[in-house]
């Protein structure tokens, strides 16, 4: 045999190769497409757990008893491509004698012989590898499904190159459909501006000083949806303690975070309402007991006194106490009515109409004070509200602005409305004497709380205003500076 014939084998060499193949548990099969004759090597039987001759060696037996029905099309397709000159590889399941169906890799080729075209192939058992691949694929699918349900994605940064890699779910949270390759600065640019420096510092500290982090920040997706996300990063260290990879999770916690914020807001409101209820109960108890005690004392004096002048004077005191008691009962009744009228009386009303009604009632006071009142309801002309409440709010704040005007200047009162999203705001701003919020801020809306020794002050107006506003789900905020003025910002709904 010449050197150029070194790639050819004699008949004895082929037989020897076949024996080697049999010993390494590779099965060889052969099929003559003209005569339909089938041959299986001893290794073919061994691969399936049989001895030669133990099962029928035929085309029909292979397809009807050995080949898994679901893999027939794939196997036939591979033999078809073989006839076109290709050498396809296909994975099929064959029924073994002891272990049920197992995975085999089938490599097929076509060879023309004197007896006609022959298709032959080699089978190798890949069941262990295939089962492992299937388990890995199932685990990856399960992890991906868990990540999708929990809205958790993964990511990692190569500390040497700062290359950033995202999982599919992380791209989903970013709302990036094309899954582009993005850099760390590009990823950070998705976060709201106030959190970008925080996240940048966390990543730098994790890589430089191996410090893990776990933070909750606001994030704007590619579709401009602003959501709360949780970012957690854990450094992966080498044998010298240096960070080589920063690996972490990225979780959409928007619904959880907003529920928590709403719950905390409700708890704060409930706590505040409880305090006001306790305050109200204290006021009721204290005031009624005070009136009752004074009244009883005066009645006793009246009964013990025999002089007409004394009895007349005592009776005038009894009358005063009675009127005060009646006023107190009226105030308490008004507070109770606020809560009982929440569910009725709402309707769409014009701010300007309500203001004009109040201005008409307070016309004399406004004129006497020389007040300049600037109104601007263009930002939100209407609201769905209880008219009596809005009228009361206007009246109390306007009365206060005039009552507490600065002695050195005429009152200038600015009133306007605006909307932020679906929330409606009413703003009252004056240039009066202001309130020392550091000293009186906690008592500002308390019942019968007064701070300027004004004889007309009864400390009931702001208490009622706050109850009316909060009864309908709103809130009231005060900004004030002594000798400068006061600004009430009221979120009505």
């Amino acid at each position: 045999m010449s050197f150029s014939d070194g790639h050819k084998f004699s008949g004895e060499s082929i037989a020897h190769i076949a024996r080697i193949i049999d010993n390494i548990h590779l099965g060889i099969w052969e099929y003559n497409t003209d005569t339909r004759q089938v041959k299986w090597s001893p290794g073919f039987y061994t691969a399936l757990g049989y001895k030669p001759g133990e099962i029928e060696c035929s085309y029909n037996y292979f397809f009807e008893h050995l080949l898994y029905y679901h893999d027939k099309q794939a196997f036939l397709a591979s033999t078809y491509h073989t006839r076109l000159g290709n050498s396809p590889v296909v994975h099929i399941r064959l029924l073994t004698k002891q272990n049920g169906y197992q995975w085999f890799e089938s490599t097929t080729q076509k060879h023309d012989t004197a007896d006609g075209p022959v298709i032959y192939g080699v089978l190798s058992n890949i069941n262990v590898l295939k089962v492992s691949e299937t388990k890995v694929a199932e685990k990856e699918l399960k992890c991906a499904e868990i990540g999708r349900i929990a809205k958790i994605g993964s990511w990692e940064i190569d500390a040497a190159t700062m290359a950033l890699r995202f999982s599919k779910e992380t791209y989903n949270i970013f709302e990036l459909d094309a899954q582009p390759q993005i850099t760390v600065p590009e990823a950070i640019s998705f976060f709201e501006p106030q959190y970008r420096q925080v996240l940048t510092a966390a990543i730098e500290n994790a890589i430089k000083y191996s410090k893990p982090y776990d933070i909750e920040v606001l994030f704007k997706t590619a579709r401009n949806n602003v959501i709360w996300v949780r970012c957690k990063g854990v450094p992966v260290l080498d044998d010298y303690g240096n960070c080589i990879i920063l690996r972490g999770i990225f979780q959409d916690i928007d619904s959880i975070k907003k529920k928590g914020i709403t719950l905390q807001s409700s708890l704060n409101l409930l706590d505040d309402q409880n305090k006001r209820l306790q305050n109200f109960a204290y006021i009721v108890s204290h005031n009624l007991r005070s009136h009752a005690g004074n009244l009883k004392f005066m009645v006793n004096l009246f009964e013990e006194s025999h002089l007409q002048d004394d009895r007349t004077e005592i009776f005038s005191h009894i009358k005063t106490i009675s009127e005060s008691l009646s006023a107190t009962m009226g105030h308490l009744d008004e507070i109770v009515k606020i809560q009982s009228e929440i569910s009725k009386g709402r309707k769409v009303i014009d701010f300007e109409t309500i203001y004009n009604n109040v201005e008409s009632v307070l016309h004399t006071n406004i004129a006497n004070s020389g007040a300049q009142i600037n109104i601007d309801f263009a930002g939100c002309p209407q609201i769905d509200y209880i008219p009596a409440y809005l009228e009361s709010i206007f009246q109390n704040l306007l009365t206060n602005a005039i009552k507490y005007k600065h002695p050195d200047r005429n009152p200038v009162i600015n009133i306007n409305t605006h909307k932020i999203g679906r929330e409606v705001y009413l703003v009252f701003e004056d240039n009066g004497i202001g309130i020392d919020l550091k000293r009186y801020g906690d008592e500002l809306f308390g019942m019968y709380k007064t701070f300027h020794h004004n004889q007309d002050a009864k400390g009931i107006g702001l208490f009622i205003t706050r109850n009316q506003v909060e009864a309908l789900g709103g809130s009231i905020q005060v900004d004030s500076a002594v000798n400068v003025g006061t600004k009430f910002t009221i979120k009505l709904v």
Side-chain angles (χ1 to χ4, degrees):
M1 182 174 65
S2 67
F3 180 77
S4 61
D5 293 332
H7 61 285
K8 297 180 180 177
F9 293 90
S10 65
E12 179 58 29
S13 296
I14 293 174
H16 183 61
I17 292 172
R19 285 195 292 274
I20 293 174
I21 291 175
D22 288 340
N23 288 333
I24 59 176
H25 306 298
L26 291 178
I28 300 175
W29 57 270
E30 181 181 294
Y31 175 65
N32 189 307
T33 58
D34 286 349
T35 65
R36 300 179 68 83
Q37 185 181 11
V38 175
K39 292 181 181 177
W40 295 340
S41 71
F44 183 97
Y45 290 97
T46 303
L48 297 178
Y50 296 101
K51 293 179 181 178
E54 190 174 351
I55 55 176
E56 178 184 327
C57 177
S58 70
Y59 178 91
N60 288 336
Y61 190 86
F62 179 81
F63 275 91
E64 298 300 327
H65 298 285
L66 297 182
L67 182 61
Y68 186 60
Y69 75 98
H70 193 266
D71 300 334
K72 288 180 181 178
Q73 290 298 324
F75 185 78
L76 288 172
S78 71
T79 60
Y80 173 76
H81 287 293
T82 300
R83 297 173 189 180
L84 300 178
N86 299 326
S87 299
V89 176
V90 64
H91 293 171
I92 58 174
R93 280 158 286 187
L94 297 174
L95 183 61
T96 65
K97 183 178 180 179
Q98 299 293 340
N99 301 312
Y101 284 101
Q102 294 210 332
W103 283 97
F104 288 83
E105 183 176 273
S106 171
T107 306
T108 310
Q109 286 199 357
K110 175 175 171 287
H111 182 62
D112 292 322
T113 68
D115 296 330
V118 173
I119 298 174
Y120 63 93
V122 177
L123 291 174
S124 60
N125 190 313
I126 59 168
N127 196 64
V128 174
L129 176 62
K130 196 72 176 180
V131 169
S132 297
E133 288 180 351
T134 303
K135 288 182 178 178
V136 170
E138 288 176 351
K139 286 182 179 177
E140 289 179 349
L141 179 63
K142 190 179 294 183
C143 287
E145 188 66 10
I146 291 173
R148 187 187 64 78
I149 294 171
K151 296 183 177 180
I152 299 177
S154 62
W155 55 268
E156 63 178 34
I157 298 173
D158 187 310
T161 64
M162 292 303 288
L164 175 63
R165 288 183 290 275
F166 281 172
S167 70
K168 183 176 181 301
E169 186 55 33
T170 301
Y171 278 113
N172 290 340
I173 297 173
F174 269 70
E175 294 190 326
L176 289 168
D177 297 330
Q179 299 188 5
Q181 182 64 45
I182 63 175
T183 65
V184 173
E186 287 172 340
I188 291 176
S189 70
F190 279 80
F191 293 83
E192 287 293 269
Q194 64 269 34
Y195 295 108
R196 291 173 189 167
Q197 187 58 41
V198 174
L199 194 60
T200 301
I203 292 173
E204 289 177 353
N205 288 334
I207 293 177
K208 288 182 180 178
Y209 308 113
S210 302
K211 293 176 62 177
Y213 64 86
D214 188 352
I215 54 179
E216 296 176 355
V217 294
L218 274 172
F219 173 84
K220 181 180 283 186
T221 71
R223 297 175 187 168
N224 291 325
N225 294 314
V226 178
I227 60 173
W228 281 98
V229 295
R230 180 187 180 189
C231 300
K232 186 173 183 178
V234 178
V236 178
L237 309 182
D238 63 11
D239 293 339
Y240 303 98
N242 299 317
C243 174
I244 53 175
I245 293 175
L246 180 59
R247 188 172 291 155
I249 62 157
F250 189 69
Q251 184 178 16
D252 178 352
I253 58 169
D254 193 57
S255 61
I256 299 172
K257 187 75 177 180
K258 286 180 178 173
K259 285 179 182 175
I261 293 172
T262 302
L263 179 60
Q264 186 59 53
S265 176
S266 299
L267 289 174
N268 292 340
L269 181 60
L270 186 61
D271 183 58
D272 193 49
Q273 287 176 339
N274 282 337
K275 288 179 181 176
R276 284 192 289 117
L277 184 60
Q278 289 176 352
N279 187 37
F280 180 72
Y282 171 77
I283 291 167
V284 171
S285 173
H286 177 268
N287 287 8
L288 294 185
R289 188 169 60 244
S290 175
H291 288 308
N294 289 337
L295 193 59
K296 183 178 180 182
F297 177 72
M298 287 296 170
V299 169
N300 289 338
L301 281 180
F302 184 84
E303 290 176 344
E304 292 171 0
S305 178
H306 300 291
L307 298 176
Q308 184 59 39
D309 289 344
D310 292 342
R311 291 173 69 94
T312 302
E313 182 180 354
I314 293 170
F315 186 78
S316 69
H317 289 308
I318 291 174
K319 187 176 180 182
T320 301
I321 294 171
S322 175
E323 291 172 349
S324 179
L325 176 60
S326 178
T328 299
M329 293 300 294
H331 293 152
L332 298 177
D333 184 55
E334 195 164 352
I335 300 303
V336 173
K337 280 169 62 180
I338 290 173
Q339 299 300 324
S340 62
E341 291 177 352
I342 292 174
S343 59
K344 60 181 181 181
R346 274 180 182 263
K347 66 179 185 179
V348 177
I349 48 180
D350 294 329
F351 279 104
E352 189 164 355
T353 301
I354 297 297
Y355 169 77
N356 288 337
N357 292 341
V358 174
E359 187 190 49
S360 176
V361 172
L362 299 177
H363 177 73
T364 303
N365 291 345
I366 295 171
N368 291 339
S369 69
Q372 173 189 334
I373 303 176
N374 306 311
I375 61 171
D376 180 7
F377 301 127
C380 182
Q382 294 183 321
I383 187 173
D384 184 16
Y385 216 70
I386 298 176
Y389 282 14
L390 189 59
E391 192 169 301
S392 174
I393 292 167
F394 268 113
Q395 185 164 343
N396 281 325
L397 294 182
L398 199 53
T399 301
N400 276 2
I402 294 171
K403 187 185 300 179
Y404 300 112
K405 70 176 185 175
H406 197 281
D408 299 334
R409 54 182 178 254
N410 288 337
V412 176
I413 304 168
N414 298 313
I415 308 170
N416 67 77
T417 58
H418 62 271
K419 288 186 78 172
I420 299 177
R422 301 177 65 179
E423 296 174 344
V424 179
Y425 289 84
L426 171 66
V427 179
F428 254 82
E429 189 171 14
D430 65 50
N431 64 338
I433 56 178
I435 305 166
D436 186 348
L437 293 179
K438 287 185 179 178
R439 185 175 180 182
Y440 301 117
D442 294 339
E443 301 177 348
L444 186 59
F445 294 99
M447 196 171 188
Y448 299 132
K449 300 294 181 182
T450 58
F451 315 106
H452 296 106
H453 307 294
N454 189 313
Q455 292 183 350
D456 295 333
K458 294 186 172 53
I460 193 70
L462 288 181
F463 182 80
I464 291 176
T465 296
R466 183 178 182 180
N467 274 271
Q468 289 170 328
V469 170
E470 293 185 349
L472 295 180
S475 61
I476 184 166
Q477 177 187 332
V478 184
D479 300 294
S480 187
V482 176
N483 291 326
V484 176
T486 303
K487 178 181 178 182
F488 291 91
T489 303
I490 306 164
K491 188 184 80 170
L492 291 170
V493 290

